Each structure stands twice: as structure tokens, then as C-alpha cells.
Amino acid sequence: MDTPSLDLEHVKRILEAALLTSQEPLALPELKQLFDEELSNDALCRMLEELRGDWRGRGVELVHVASGWRFRARPEYQRFIERLTPIKPPRYSRAVMETLAIIAYKQPVTRGDIEEIRGVTVSTNIIRALEERGWIDVVGHREVPGRPALYATTKTFLDDLNVRSLDELPPLDDLGSLVETAGAPPVAETPKPPVAEEPEPQPQPVEEMRRAASA
Amino acid sequence: MDTPSLDLEHVKRILEAALLTSQEPLALPELKQLFDEELSNDALCRMLEELRGDWRGRGVELVHVASGWRFRARPEYQRFIERLTPIKPPRYSRAVMETLAIIAYKQPVTRGDIEEIRGVTVSTNIIRALEERGWIDVVGHREVPGRPALYATTKTFLDDLNVRSLDELPPLDDLGSLVETAGAPPVAETPKPPVAEEPEPQPQPVEEMRRAASA
Amino acid sequence: MSEIAVAPIAKVYGQPVLEVPQDLYIPPDALEVFLEQFEGPLDLLLYLIRKENTDVLDIPMSKLTGQYLEYVEMMRTRSLELAAEYLLMAAMLIEIKSRMLLPRPAIEGLEADPRAELVRRLLEYERMKLAAQRLNELPQAGRDFSLVHVLFDETAAGRLPDVNAADLRMAWLALLTRAAVNRHHRITREQLSVREHMSRILRRLQEARYIEFKELFKPEHGIAVLVVTFLALLELARESLVELTQQAAYGSLYVKLKTGHLAAVE
């Protein structure tokens, strides 16, 4: 850290890259995870403000919303960008898709169940968006403190996906052989002998599911 | 258009905003739709090159892939960005990657062709996984009994590997170099070698393209 | 066999596996891991050839055939699932070996070598195998670099995103992948139809406070539906979402929503 100005520049580049690639707003605690060194909230906020300044006058701006910081297109550019949309249909963010997948495959579930599986908080917006779309609804409440709502998918959901029942959704069990174990080190540059160093890893979770399912 | 320099700046801002918000690469004809005025391909390309230059040294860069132009984070920043999402996309197993390689380098091929080369049955799951990933699709049928589907790689495949065409993929090994008699000249004197030249039963577009490219 | 220092061909439980099987003791489990790594008979043959630094263009057939059969036998005795392709290859090797013993007319040259087709296939497979490795080393979108996703509020333009079944599957796969990282999140999947019927029963209980047990079962829906409905009911009871009550022995069973203390206070 002999040239702090350069380091700060690097920190800003990392922040920018992370914010530009994230599908969801990023809150300060998440942004801190980006760095090895401990960054104070103050320093981070200063950097974000600086970054916001850098983007002034561009078609995209850095904004601070309830759940954190995100880049978004300025409304004035909307009309230009909209001209492209007939070609590229929009897509839901990963958070929405995962929430939907959990509700579809594990229904009926509470928001807590979804959070338990996803490992992160599920924003009200996501649930509301899916409800407004008519794809999920509340089918009851779990009788625990707080009586959380139990969500399930609707007929509209099945119709929109063009299936008649949940059974027709893609089976998940056969994904097993196609993927390597998550978090496995990248396949090492293999030497000539035909057997890769790392034993072909069997994806554990799917296996577990299969066992659980057949148990 | 009385102040062309300013207008060009505006055009660049619109291009940038469109490219940053698009989830797919944008090709020149699409980019042209952004503007009321007719823009020549030349002018557009100049602008894109300029934009690419503006982003030099940042964590995100503008790249030209098979289906057009897109922004991406530089691979060097992946290790930071990864910290935000413990989810990594699947690393495909060897069976999947070998199937993909055969389709990429020998396209168009039938499942039978792939099985012939790999010497084992190719499971439907593998083909389906690659299709769902959008990396391969059916481009026709071979007119033999059963009319087997002919598979080829897609633009998305090239996009995802950040290349513009098949000939940017790593070149295939020369068969001669595979002879591993350490130090020995590649079997010159013996009349034994049963395979002197590479048999090319099918048209090999990749090979042809590569030859054409290097010619 | 062991005079040449061979690079470890596999690591099993952190231990490098150098030679298989004679020269090194390998725990039976490890051997299975080792044997299962081959992508097929061609892969196994290439391994045997490369291990000995043999010239692919001049394969000693009888030695190779012997080794190959040894491996196949090992797989068989360990009752590993032995694909038919392995046996087919064994037959082919034996055939080539026997043809090698016959005198060959010199004039026919290259084509006359009984090994020609095998060699062609081995080289072609190896070429693709190496290509696959290189392809895998190329940076991939999502895996090795991230794409930019700046928000553009498309719902303002009145367009709703499309979702198809494959997207859902991919989302689930992403969850599984993460679950493998966070071990404590156990994700299990019951039969989907059971979960669907759980939702269905809950929906009905929203309308009526309780339902007679047998009302849930309509024989005309077929046995499969009856079974699934029953399983759904058991699962609902297990998850404390419904209560099953019976006033008297052999009396009617009633299904009602589980009401907790909180509900009682309301």
C-alpha cells in the first residue's frame, strides 16, 4: 500500500465492476466482502459517491436504493433503449427465478423456507412481483409464531409455462451426471496421461436428493 | 446536427447505455435502431472502437463476440465478483465437454457420429444440457434411415467463450504430434504406420475455415 | 512396467496413484474411483498406451490386448457397471491380434495393417479429448467472467419477462450448486405431485374450515391420484399444517387447518 491513490483507484474499479455485473442492488456489507482489507463504511461511501460523480452525465447512473447501490439506465435514455426491446425479451433476475423455482418445487413454502434454501433474504418485491403476475398465491399459514404465509404456484403459472401439472416440469434427478461438484478447483491442466488428476467428481447434492427421494 | 462533436458524444452515451443494459450482445443492425438518423456501419464501428478505448484500464470492457458487441467484466476481476455470489455455474463433466468439442470441431454431426468418435453411447441428458445452455442446436437432418438430427454449435456458444468465430477456438492437435516416442522422429522410416494421413470422411467446416483463415 | 517414472495418473484421497494395478497397493475403493474415470474403451486403451510410452502407430497388440482384458476383468469382478462398448472393444482387440498373426501380403501396404482402423479411432478420439480440455480452459461467461447487467426498467415498457421450464430447472441447479457449498442447507425433493396436492388440499381448506377425510379422495381420479393425495395429507400432517381428528373409534376422520395458540387468541 505504498501508493494509496493507485490502490483507491483499484478499489473503485472493483466496486464498479461488481456493481455493473450484479443483478441486484448491493448493500455495504456485501460490497465490503469484495476486498481482502477491512474497509470502513465511511471510506466505502466516499468511494461510492466518487463513483457516482464519475458517472454524472452518462446514460447510466449509480443510484442508492433501499436495498443498496445499483447502476441503472437514466429515464431520459429509456426511449432509445426501448427501441431494442422488441428483439430482446426481458428476463427475471436470478433472485426471482430461484424464488420461483423453490416455490414450484417445494410448495407450499413460507418466505422463511425460501430464505433458508437461498441463504439470503428474499425481498418483498420479488414475492409481490410473482403474486402480481398471478404465478403464486397464499394457500395458508404455518401455525408458528408470526403465522407466516404459505406460498404455492397457481394454475396461471402452469398455463404460462405451458404445462398441465407440476409433474411436467423438468425432472431434476438426472442433472447429476452433467456437472462437476461445485467449488471444485478448476480442472488442472491435464498432463498427457488420459486420466485427469482430479477424480471425476460426482455431484453430491443431486445424489443426496436421489437418496432422499428414494428413501 | 449543427454541433457534430456534441452529437457524437450523445450517440456514444446512447450506445453505452444500450450496451450496458442489454442482456445479449447487440449487432450493428440492432444498434442502428437506437437512432433516428441513419448511421453508417463505418461511423458506428468507429464509435464502438472509441467507446472500447474509453473503457480501457477499467474492470469492465467492451468486447466484440459472435453475435455483436457486449460489455463484460475482465476475467481478472472474477475473483472479486465471485465473492458476492457463492453460486458458480456448472463445470461440465468430461463427457459433456468431449461431446461439445466434437460438435464444435466436427459440425454438423449426428449423435451417431459423436458416439463413433467417443466410443461410447452419448446420453440424451448430455445433448439436452448443451441445448438448454443454448450452446448447440439442430441444424438439419442427415438423409439416412431414421433421419438423425445434425447438431452444430450456436452463436451463443461463441459469445459465452468470448470469441467471434469458430476459428478463434484453440486449434486441434496435429495427429503427428501425438506420437509420443520421446525424441524419436515421428515415424519416418517404418512402412508400418497404418495411418499416414488424416482420414477426413466428413466435411470439416472448422478445419476448412481455419485453413482459409491462415491462408 | 515401472522403469519409467510416470507422473501421477490420478489422486485418490490425496494420494497420487502411479501404477495400476500391480506395482502399488491401492485400496479397493480407490481402484473403483480410478476405473470409473474412463470415458469408455478408447479412453482406457489410450491410457494403457500412453502409460507405457508406446508409439500409437505401432501398437504391440498382444500386450495391449492382455492389459485391456485385465482391466475389463477387474471392472467385472468389482461389478462396476460395464458398458457393452467395453466388451465390443475386447472382441475387436482379440480379432486384430489374431489377424496380426496371419502373414500379410506386402503389396497392400498400409491398408493391410489390421490395426489401421483402431489407430485411426484412437487418434481421433485423443484429438477430441484434448480439444475438450482446451475448450474447458477457455474462459466461459458466468464461470470465469461476469456479464454486465445494468437495470433497465422494462416493466415500465409493459413487457413481462418470459420464463420457460428450462429456466426453472437452471435456477434450481444453481441452488443445488450453492447447497453443495453451504452444506447445512439440505435440499430434498419429494415427488412433485405430492407437493402439488399439498397446495391443493390447503386451498380447499381455505374455503371450508374442515373437510371430511374421504371427501378428499375421489376414486374416479384413479389410484395414482388417491395415493398421491394420501401422501400429501401425511406430509401436511407431518409439517403440522393440518390436523386429522376423529371423534370416536371408527368414526369419520376430519381434516382441518392446524390452528395454533396464536389463532386461538385472535
Side-chain angles (χ1 to χ4, degrees):
Chain A
M1 282 236 189
D2 42 290
T3 48
S5 65
L6 257 185
D7 275 329
L8 285 184
E9 202 49 39
H10 192 221
V11 164
K12 222 161 76 178
R13 292 289 81 92
I14 294 172
L15 275 178
E16 187 181 62
L19 286 162
L20 283 170
T21 52
S22 172
Q23 300 192 8
E24 311 290 332
L26 295 172
L28 291 188
E30 291 172 282
L31 289 171
K32 279 186 194 174
Q33 288 175 16
L34 289 167
F35 307 100
D36 296 320
E37 308 86 19
E38 188 74 36
L39 262 175
S40 71
N41 276 355
D42 267 10
L44 202 51
C45 283
R46 247 193 337 269
M47 211 89 66
L48 286 163
E49 286 299 346
E50 229 177 84
L51 198 55
R52 166 142 67 177
D54 294 348
W55 279 83
R56 204 152 285 148
R58 309 274 283 276
V60 160
E61 61 186 342
L62 182 59
V63 292
H64 190 184
V65 295
S67 40
W69 292 76
R70 82 172 334 158
F71 276 106
R72 70 155 187 224
R74 274 180 208 281
E76 309 92 270
Y77 285 77
Q78 193 91 0
R79 64 187 185 91
F80 296 106
I81 300 172
E82 264 170 22
R83 299 179 185 182
L84 297 176
T85 51
I87 309 164
K88 311 284 182 191
R91 297 180 69 75
Y92 280 122
S93 72
R94 188 165 58 212
V96 175
M97 284 309 298
E98 287 184 5
T99 303
L100 185 59
I102 293 167
I103 297 174
Y105 286 106
K106 295 286 291 173
Q107 59 186 280
V109 288
T110 65
R111 200 153 130 181
D113 297 335
I114 300 168
E115 292 177 348
E116 164 75 14
I117 294 173
R118 289 200 64 224
V120 290
T121 324
V122 172
S123 91
T124 313
N125 287 339
I126 292 178
I127 300 285
R128 200 183 332 157
L130 291 171
E131 276 184 317
E132 280 173 6
R133 184 93 192 241
W135 281 0
I136 64 167
D137 62 1
V138 175
V139 294
H141 294 267
R142 183 167 290 156
E143 292 306 330
V144 292
R147 298 190 73 241
L150 284 162
Y151 294 96
T153 54
T154 61
K155 267 211 165 122
T156 313
F157 166 73
L158 296 177
D159 292 345
D160 286 357
L161 266 76
N162 207 24
V163 296
R164 275 169 312 178
S165 79
L166 286 175
D167 271 351
E168 289 180 24
L169 290 182
L172 301 165
D173 302 1
D174 54 9
L175 289 172
S177 58
L178 302 178
V179 295
E180 298 187 8
T181 312
V187 177
E189 163 71 76
T190 20
K192 276 285 148 63
V195 181
E197 277 234 337
E198 148 197 8
E200 185 87 344
Q202 290 306 305
Q204 300 311 326
V206 182
E207 279 307 302
E208 250 169 39
M209 276 171 42
R210 189 167 300 139
R211 270 197 295 278
S214 61
Chain B
M1 281 239 186
D2 42 289
T3 48
S5 65
L6 257 184
D7 276 330
L8 285 185
E9 202 49 39
H10 191 222
V11 165
K12 223 161 75 177
R13 292 288 81 92
I14 294 172
L15 277 178
E16 186 182 63
L19 287 162
L20 284 170
T21 51
S22 173
Q23 307 201 9
E24 312 287 335
L26 295 172
L28 293 189
E30 295 168 279
L31 289 171
K32 279 186 192 172
Q33 291 179 3
L34 289 166
F35 308 100
D36 296 322
E37 308 88 18
E38 187 74 35
L39 262 176
S40 72
N41 275 354
D42 267 10
L44 203 49
C45 283
R46 249 196 332 272
M47 212 88 68
L48 287 163
E49 285 300 343
E50 231 178 83
L51 196 55
R52 166 141 70 178
D54 294 349
W55 280 83
R56 204 153 285 149
R58 311 273 283 275
V60 162
E61 63 183 342
L62 182 59
V63 291
H64 189 182
V65 293
S67 338
W69 293 75
R70 73 152 40 140
F71 276 105
R72 69 151 185 179
R74 286 175 198 280
E76 306 93 89
Y77 284 76
Q78 188 66 9
R79 64 186 185 95
F80 299 108
I81 295 170
E82 261 174 9
R83 299 181 187 178
L84 298 177
T85 44
I87 314 159
K88 303 224 177 83
R91 293 192 71 90
Y92 290 116
S93 66
R94 257 180 71 199
V96 176
M97 287 312 292
E98 287 181 9
T99 303
L100 180 62
I102 293 167
I103 297 173
Y105 287 95
K106 298 284 209 176
Q107 59 190 289
V109 288
T110 64
R111 199 153 133 180
D113 297 336
I114 301 168
E115 292 179 345
E116 162 71 20
I117 293 174
R118 294 195 63 226
V120 288
T121 321
V122 171
S123 86
T124 311
N125 283 337
I126 291 178
I127 298 284
R128 196 169 54 191
L130 290 170
E131 278 184 314
E132 281 176 6
R133 182 76 188 255
W135 281 1
I136 65 166
D137 61 2
V138 174
V139 292
H141 294 267
R142 185 168 288 158
E143 290 307 329
V144 294
R147 298 190 72 244
L150 283 164
Y151 294 96
T153 53
T154 61
K155 272 191 174 173
T156 307
F157 165 70
L158 297 174
D159 292 344
D160 281 356
L161 295 184
N162 204 47
V163 297
R164 274 154 74 177
S165 71
L166 283 173
D167 50 298
E168 287 181 29
L169 294 181
L172 287 181
D173 283 276
D174 197 2
L175 283 183
S177 70
L178 295 177
V179 183
E180 278 208 342
T181 38
V187 261
E189 23 36 295
T190 38
K192 279 267 180 63
V195 178
E197 64 199 274
E198 172 193 351
E200 286 198 28
Q202 295 121 2
Q204 297 193 325
V206 184
E207 282 302 302
E208 263 161 35
M209 279 165 52
R210 187 164 299 131
R211 269 197 295 276
S214 62
Chain C
M1 196 170 181
S2 60
E3 63 270 38
I4 307 154
V6 195
I9 43 161
K11 269 193 184 155
V12 176
Y13 306 133
Q15 295 302 307
V17 178
L18 293 168
E19 284 288 326
V20 177
Q22 293 97 322
D23 304 359
L24 195 73
Y25 171 73
I26 297 173
D29 292 1
L31 186 60
E32 271 173 41
V33 170
F34 173 78
L35 290 173
E36 278 175 346
Q37 290 190 54
F38 294 109
E39 281 294 325
L42 289 172
D43 200 17
L44 172 56
L45 278 176
L46 269 177
Y47 163 74
L48 294 173
I49 291 168
R50 291 303 183 211
K51 186 167 65 84
E52 307 240 340
N53 262 359
T54 311
D55 182 349
V56 186
L57 300 186
D58 191 11
I59 301 170
M61 281 312 295
S62 99
K63 191 171 170 196
L64 181 70
T65 307
Q67 287 177 342
Y68 180 88
L69 292 176
E70 218 174 282
Y71 276 82
V72 167
E73 182 58 19
M74 261 195 292
M75 293 192 213
R76 213 183 52 76
T77 53
R78 262 154 239 284
S79 38
L80 292 178
E81 206 179 316
L82 190 56
E85 293 98 346
Y86 280 96
L87 300 175
L88 209 63
M89 178 59 76
M92 188 180 163
L93 290 176
I94 293 167
E95 200 224 320
I96 296 173
K97 193 178 99 177
S98 58
R99 276 205 282 143
M100 295 283 287
L101 298 174
L102 300 174
R104 264 177 289 156
I107 323 106
E108 286 180 49
L110 301 180
E111 293 308 310
D113 193 317
R115 298 169 297 181
E117 174 61 12
L118 177 65
V119 169
R120 186 193 67 75
R121 290 189 63 192
L122 282 172
L123 289 177
E124 185 60 11
Y125 172 66
E126 181 157 50
R127 209 154 77 121
M128 286 303 139
K129 194 179 131 165
L130 293 174
Q133 280 171 18
R134 278 200 208 111
L135 220 47
N136 205 28
E137 285 158 16
L138 286 186
Q140 265 174 33
R143 191 187 74 181
D144 307 301
F145 61 88
S146 300
L147 296 175
V148 163
H149 288 283
V150 170
L151 176 73
F152 163 60
D153 195 4
E154 308 210 47
T155 45
R159 288 164 52 81
L160 291 171
D162 282 339
V163 170
N164 60 43
D167 294 338
L168 218 53
R169 178 173 143 125
M170 285 312 287
W172 187 262
L173 182 59
L175 283 165
L176 284 181
T177 318
R178 185 170 45 193
V181 179
N182 304 343
R183 259 297 126 111
H184 54 284
H185 295 131
R186 280 186 63 86
I187 299 179
T188 55
R189 175 189 180 239
E190 292 93 328
Q191 269 206 320
L192 263 185
S193 49
V194 174
R195 308 233 55 115
E196 187 168 34
H197 278 80
M198 286 166 69
S199 295
R200 199 169 285 170
I201 294 168
L202 284 176
R203 275 207 180 87
R204 283 192 63 184
L205 287 170
Q206 296 296 308
E207 294 150 16
R209 288 190 72 84
Y210 58 85
I211 303 173
E212 202 179 329
F213 183 78
K214 63 184 185 213
E215 277 179 52
L216 290 170
F217 298 91
K218 296 270 185 304
E220 62 268 27
H221 290 153
I223 289 188
V225 172
L226 294 182
V227 171
V228 167
T229 307
F230 186 67
L231 289 174
L233 209 50
L234 290 181
E235 186 60 24
L236 283 168
R238 197 181 66 80
E239 291 184 18
S240 301
L241 294 170
V242 300
E243 260 175 341
L244 294 168
T245 54
Q246 188 177 31
Q247 304 292 17
Y250 307 111
S252 299
L253 267 172
Y254 289 93
V255 182
K256 60 174 198 160
L257 282 176
K258 180 113 175 169
T259 46
H261 305 292
L262 284 163
V265 173
E266 282 170 3

